Amino acid sequence: MGTPIGNLSDLSPRAVETLSQCDFIAAEDTRVTLRLLNHFEIKKPLISYYQHNRAQRGEQICRRIEGGETCCLVTDAGMPAISDPGEELVALCAQRGIQVLCVPGPTAVATAVALSGLPSGRFCFEGFLSVAKQSRREHLEELTAERRTMVFYEAPHKLTATLKDMLAHFGDRRCAIVRELTKLHEEVIRTTLAAAAERYESEPPRGEIVLVVEGAAPAPRESMTLEEAVEEARRLTAEGMSASEAAKTAAKQSGCKKSDIYRLLSGS
């Protein structure tokens, strides 16, 4: 179940009802969840479920559900199972034939993309970059040609190093640094990787950060003259392609008009 990423008013009526009716709650940090429950005057048993106890607790939770109890899984903020150990609990439930339902709620990924001002029709979520230099470098190298807008989570004390690494791998691209979403000091900084790296060199950021980075520009199409396009079409027809299809293919490759290529091809 999704929980507020900052503003408690974002918890939906359905979410309040679900928390009120379940038998127990599996929480990333029971202290954080207890504050949420107290705000809505909900009293329910809590069990911790986080990165370092997920294997043992996952089995315990599943056994309780199989015994007839209902469990509500929450994380500290946002959607559990998204860049979160809850992913493994959902998979375990699926393996054991336990029904899993989702109560949608706030998520920093979609909220940050919506605020970024960058293309949002297609984007990819990359989570946290590894702290290991080799894994981090390999991750970024895999993304150098990624054309979709990219979304990352980052800790404030690592942001400057991350911006420098991205600048080295991606070149200077547009980006948005989205801080403290839905909280009192929410901030959206629309800038570039180079400008952001310079800014935060002397001004360490604070708060939870989502980094949205522009995707790679399309690879430039190789220029091809009309004569070269016709030659390519001739080559394709020699391989058995029809003149019309050859002209169409050569047009896509060259940017020349299909009709011009077909006319010269047919007249040759």
Side-chain angles (χ1 to χ4, degrees):
M1 187 192 76
T3 55
I5 56 179
N7 192 321
L8 295 183
S9 298
D10 289 337
L11 191 69
S12 71
R14 182 187 172 198
V16 173
E17 181 182 11
T18 300
L19 288 170
S20 300
Q21 294 181 351
C22 71
D23 292 310
F24 70 101
I25 299 168
E28 180 182 8
D29 186 328
T30 56
R31 295 165 299 180
V32 173
T33 301
L34 184 59
R35 288 197 291 270
L36 177 69
L37 296 178
N38 288 339
H39 180 81
F40 289 96
E41 300 181 344
I42 298 171
K43 295 186 182 298
K44 288 291 172 180
L46 290 165
I47 182 174
S48 65
Y49 176 86
Y50 58 95
Q51 183 69 24
H52 301 295
N53 74 355
R54 65 190 188 281
Q56 177 187 6
R57 284 295 165 84
E59 288 292 331
Q60 292 176 5
I61 291 168
C62 285
R63 285 198 297 270
R64 291 181 65 173
I65 295 172
E66 289 167 339
E69 294 184 84
T70 57
C71 173
C72 186
L73 172 67
V74 299
T75 186
D76 288 353
M79 285 296 297
I82 305 298
S83 196
D84 174 83
E87 171 188 4
E88 296 187 22
L89 181 57
V90 173
L92 184 60
C93 287
Q95 291 171 10
R96 297 169 74 141
I98 297 172
Q99 183 183 30
V100 178
L101 301 176
C102 180
V103 180
T107 171
V109 179
T111 307
V113 172
L115 290 171
S116 70
L118 294 171
S120 59
R122 298 179 66 208
F123 63 89
C124 58
F125 174 55
E126 296 296 325
F128 287 97
L129 290 171
S130 173
V131 295
K133 291 184 178 179
Q134 179 67 20
S135 298
R136 186 184 185 87
R137 182 166 61 250
E138 290 174 354
H139 191 166
L140 291 173
E141 286 175 353
E142 289 174 359
L143 295 172
T144 54
E146 174 59 66
R147 292 176 59 180
R148 294 171 295 180
T149 297
M150 298 173 286
V151 189
F152 302 84
Y153 285 161
E154 191 52 281
H157 66 279
K158 295 194 297 182
L159 180 63
T160 302
T162 294
L163 290 168
K164 290 180 178 178
D165 287 345
M166 288 181 173
L167 181 61
H169 284 84
F170 301 156
D172 197 14
R173 297 187 192 174
R174 291 185 297 161
C175 68
I177 296 165
V178 187
R179 299 177 52 253
E180 295 292 88
L181 277 169
T182 78
K183 300 175 184 176
L184 179 62
H185 299 293
E186 178 180 300
E187 182 179 32
V188 181
I189 302 168
R190 301 178 183 90
T191 180
T192 67
L193 290 173
E198 182 178 356
R199 170 175 180 163
Y200 289 111
E201 185 72 49
S202 58
E203 181 190 335
R206 295 181 180 179
E208 300 295 327
I209 292 169
V210 183
L211 179 58
V212 188
V213 182
E214 182 179 32
R221 180 181 291 175
E222 292 184 8
S223 58
M224 187 184 293
T225 65
L226 179 58
E227 182 179 2
E228 290 170 335
V230 173
E231 285 301 317
E232 174 63 12
R234 287 197 185 104
R235 184 186 68 78
L236 293 171
T237 55
E239 293 178 355
M241 189 178 288
S242 69
S244 177
E245 281 299 313
K248 181 179 179 180
T249 302
K252 287 182 178 179
Q253 294 175 354
S254 65
C256 298
K257 291 183 178 179
K258 175 188 173 182
S259 58
D260 291 341
I261 298 173
Y262 184 79
R263 173 174 52 81
L264 294 172
L265 180 64
S266 301
S268 58

